[in-house]
Amino acid sequence: MLRVAVVGSGPSGVYTAQALLNQSLVPEVRVHVLDRLPTPYGLVRYGVAPDHEKIKSLQNSLRAVLEDERVTFVGHVQIGGADGVPPARLAELYHAVVYCVGAAADRPLAVPGEELPGSCSATRFVSWYSAHPDSAPDDFALRARSAVVIGVGNVAVDVARILARGADELRATDVPRAALGALAGSRVREVHIVGRRGPSQARFTTKELRELGALPGARIVVDPAELARDPAYAAPDGLPLPAVVRRNLEVLRGWAVRGEPAPSGPVYGPSGAAHGPSETVYGSCGAAHDPSETVYGPSGAAYDGVRRIRLRFFLRPVELLERGGRVAGVRFARTVPDGAGGVQDTGTYEDIEAQLVLRAVGYRGVELPGLPFDPVRGTVPHAAGRVLRDGVPSPGEYVAGWIKRGPTGVIGSNRSCAKETVASLIEDAPLLARRPAADDPLAVLRAWGQRPVEWDGWLSIERAEQALGRSLGRGPVKIPDWSGLLAAARGEEH
C-alpha cells in the first residue's frame, strides 16, 4: 500500500488526490489530505465571491473526492513554522508528500503611501467577506464614498462588484453577519477599477465583465478616449486577437457608446501645474466624507442613488495620497502603448479621490520552512512536480498548483497540473514503496501536538453554519472565527 499526504485541500490538492485514485498502476493508495484550516476546499470556500454560486458549487465535486473511502480529510494541522510539523518529519509518516499550498500572499504596489490606513490588499478584503478565520474584523472604510481598485483581473472585478452590490442581494449568500452589516451601511458611491495598460491586456474574463453591467443600481462608465489608445480597440475584425480579448472589447465598446461622460480628476504636467480638466470631480482629493452630509455625484448634483463603476485604463499608480493620517486618493501617471506590448509614461499625472484603495495586482507564493524556495518566482523548484533540492529531485517530495507553477490559470488549470505531478509520483512508486511509513499517521500527529479535525468534524461545522443561517432567516452563514469553527467541529455551541 502506498501512503500519500497531500498538503492543501483546495482544488489543486483535491485534484491531486483524485488523480491518485484514478491511476491504475498502483492499485492500493491511501491519501490523507491535510489542511491548516479545519475546513476543506481552500479558495473555493474562501476566495470565490459569495454571489458566484455556480463556481462555489464546485465544492460538490471536491466533496465527492474527499468522501472516497480511500481518502481522509485531516484539517487543523499546521505544516512548517514554529508550531507546525516540519516537512522532514512529515516525510517520516508517508511514502510521499505532495505540497499544494497555493500562493497565499499578495503582490505589493511598492509606491509611497501604500501602508496608509484605508489601503490594503484585495486578498484581505476577499478574506473578510468570505469569513476566513485569519481575517481581522474591519469595516474597510465603507463609510467612504469613493474606492479605487488597482488591477484589471477577475479578483479586481469581484471586489468591485461586491462594493457595488446592495446588501439585500448578498443576503441570500453565505456572507458572514458582520460583513453583511458593514456592506449594508456602505457609503461607497464610486468604484474605480484601474489598470496601467489597455483593455486588450486586461486579465478579466468576459463573463466577469458582463456581470458588472448587470448589477441593479449600478452604472458602468468607460472613457472612449482611453479605450481608443489601445491599438487593438479600433483594429479591424480580421486582426487576429484571442477570443476573450475580442469579446471584452465588444462589451467595453457597447458601454462606451451608450454610457455617460467619464470625468477625470485633476491632471498635472511634468512641472506639477494643473492643466486640462482642472475641476476636481469628486471634491478636493483627500477630503474626508462625512456620511451626514449630502452626497454629490460627478456633476455636482445630489447623489441619484446609482453607484458608478468606472473602468479606467493607461494609468499607473505612483503614490497614495494622505489626509488626516488616512489614504485620501491615488496619484496615477498617464501611460501610452510603447509599441512593444508594454506602456511608457507620458509625464502627466491624474489624482483620483479614494478613502478606500484595494490592490489586486496578483498573488505570490510564500516560503514553507523546510522546503526549497525560489523567491524570485515565488515557487518551489521542481521538475515535472518533483521537488528539487540543490537541483536534484528529493525522494518522496512533490508539488502541485500555484506553489508549483505560480499564480496563473483558472481553477480547472489545476487538473492538468495535478496529473503531471501524480504521473511523476506513480513513476517513482516502486522506490517510494520501500521507504518507511507510519501505520497510523494521525496518531503520530496527535502525539506531536496537533489536534486534527477529521471529516466528521467538518460535517459538524456545516451543520452549525446551517443552524446559524436558520436563526438569521438565511441560508447557511459562515462562521468567521477560529474559536467558533473549532467549537463547532467539536459539536459545541459558540
Side-chain angles (χ1 to χ4, degrees):
M1 179 185 297
L2 194 67
R3 296 188 181 276
V4 181
V6 175
V7 181
S9 67
S12 62
V14 177
Y15 289 152
T16 297
Q18 185 177 48
L20 284 164
L21 300 183
N22 289 344
Q23 58 78 36
S24 57
L25 295 178
V26 180
E28 285 193 272
V29 177
R30 294 295 181 269
V31 183
H32 283 184
V33 178
L34 280 57
D35 203 293
R36 182 178 69 88
L37 298 172
T39 58
Y41 310 136
L43 280 179
V44 177
R45 176 175 166 90
Y46 290 118
V48 174
D51 57 345
H52 273 176
E53 292 298 330
K54 184 174 181 180
I55 301 176
K56 289 178 74 68
S57 68
L58 176 63
Q59 293 183 16
N60 296 329
S61 60
L62 301 181
R63 183 189 196 99
V65 177
L66 294 175
E67 288 184 330
D68 189 287
E69 61 182 6
R70 296 166 291 177
V71 175
T72 302
F73 172 70
V74 187
H76 195 222
V77 170
Q78 176 72 42
I79 305 301
D83 299 323
V85 178
R89 296 199 73 184
L90 186 65
E92 298 171 5
L93 306 184
Y94 298 92
H95 296 110
V97 180
V98 186
Y99 292 92
C100 306
V101 292
D106 62 279
R107 294 186 182 278
L109 295 173
V111 300
E114 187 173 12
E115 74 289 346
L116 286 168
S119 164
C120 70
S121 70
T123 303
R124 183 175 150 208
F125 185 63
V126 170
S127 293
W128 171 71
Y129 68 62
S130 297
H132 195 293
D134 289 341
S135 178
D138 200 326
D139 63 4
F140 282 94
L142 296 180
R143 295 182 73 80
R145 67 169 177 178
S146 181
V148 166
V149 182
I150 300 174
V152 283
N154 279 346
V155 174
V157 174
D158 275 349
V159 299
R161 191 181 65 255
I162 295 298
L163 285 169
R165 269 202 186 282
D168 287 342
E169 301 169 56
L170 294 170
R171 200 173 303 279
T173 73
D174 58 6
V175 169
R177 282 181 291 179
L180 186 65
L183 290 166
S186 171
R187 299 283 180 148
V188 173
R189 303 299 178 232
E190 307 273 353
V191 182
H192 308 257
I193 306 175
V194 188
R196 65 183 179 90
R197 298 194 291 181
S200 68
Q201 295 169 311
R203 297 300 183 93
F204 41 63
T205 60
T206 309
K207 180 179 181 296
E208 292 264 0
L209 188 61
R210 284 175 175 155
E211 285 179 346
L212 290 179
L215 291 176
R219 183 174 300 161
I220 307 299
V221 183
V222 295
D223 185 346
E226 286 183 345
L227 301 180
R229 291 188 179 98
D230 191 324
Y233 182 70
D237 291 340
L239 186 71
L241 290 172
V244 64
V245 172
R246 191 174 295 281
R247 290 193 299 266
N248 287 348
L249 295 179
E250 289 173 358
V251 173
L252 293 168
R253 191 176 290 111
W255 287 339
V257 168
R258 72 183 198 290
E260 63 182 62
S264 63
V267 179
Y268 301 91
S271 66
H275 72 92
S278 58
E279 176 191 0
T280 303
V281 174
Y282 308 111
S284 60
C285 188
H289 168 57
D290 182 348
S292 66
E293 297 176 350
T294 302
V295 180
Y296 294 93
S299 65
Y303 172 59
D304 58 7
V306 176
R307 286 175 169 152
R308 284 168 174 79
I309 302 173
R310 302 186 182 277
L311 283 158
R312 304 295 308 278
F313 299 98
F314 294 112
L315 292 171
R316 180 177 66 84
V318 295
E319 182 183 1
L320 271 60
L321 307 176
E322 176 268 341
R323 177 166 294 185
R326 292 187 60 86
V327 68
V330 186
R331 178 158 295 163
F332 291 94
R334 167 64 68 188
T335 65
V336 292
D338 63 5
V343 292
Q344 60 188 18
D345 290 358
T346 63
T348 58
Y349 301 86
E350 178 179 334
D351 293 350
I352 298 180
E353 181 198 357
Q355 298 82 35
L356 173 63
V357 177
L358 301 173
R359 63 181 181 272
V361 292
Y363 295 95
R364 56 189 175 92
V366 177
E367 181 176 7
L368 182 66
L371 281 184
F373 187 70
D374 181 343
V376 176
R377 296 175 57 88
T379 58
V380 171
H382 72 94
R386 297 179 177 94
V387 171
L388 298 178
R389 292 184 180 271
D390 298 322
V392 178
S394 176
E397 292 186 315
Y398 302 84
V399 284
W402 279 0
I403 200 63
K404 169 187 173 184
R405 67 181 192 277
T408 61
V410 295
I411 290 176
S413 306
N414 291 294
R415 283 187 182 276
S416 56
C417 178
K419 287 179 180 178
E420 179 191 55
T421 294
V422 168
S424 295
L425 190 157
I426 295 303
E427 184 179 330
D428 300 341
L431 293 176
L432 297 176
R434 300 174 189 171
R435 293 162 49 89
D439 291 332
D440 189 353
L442 268 64
V444 180
L445 289 172
R446 291 188 182 95
W448 288 348
Q450 300 297 309
R451 295 293 178 263
V453 171
E454 297 183 57
W455 192 250
D456 284 347
W458 158 241
L459 295 180
S460 183
I461 292 173
E462 277 194 321
R463 288 191 294 270
E465 293 184 337
Q466 291 164 356
L468 175 59
R470 283 194 301 270
S471 72
L472 300 171
R474 299 169 57 190
V477 172
K478 288 179 183 172
I479 297 171
D481 56 277
W482 276 99
S483 59
L485 287 170
L486 294 177
R490 296 188 296 266
E492 302 169 3
E493 292 188 8
H494 175 65

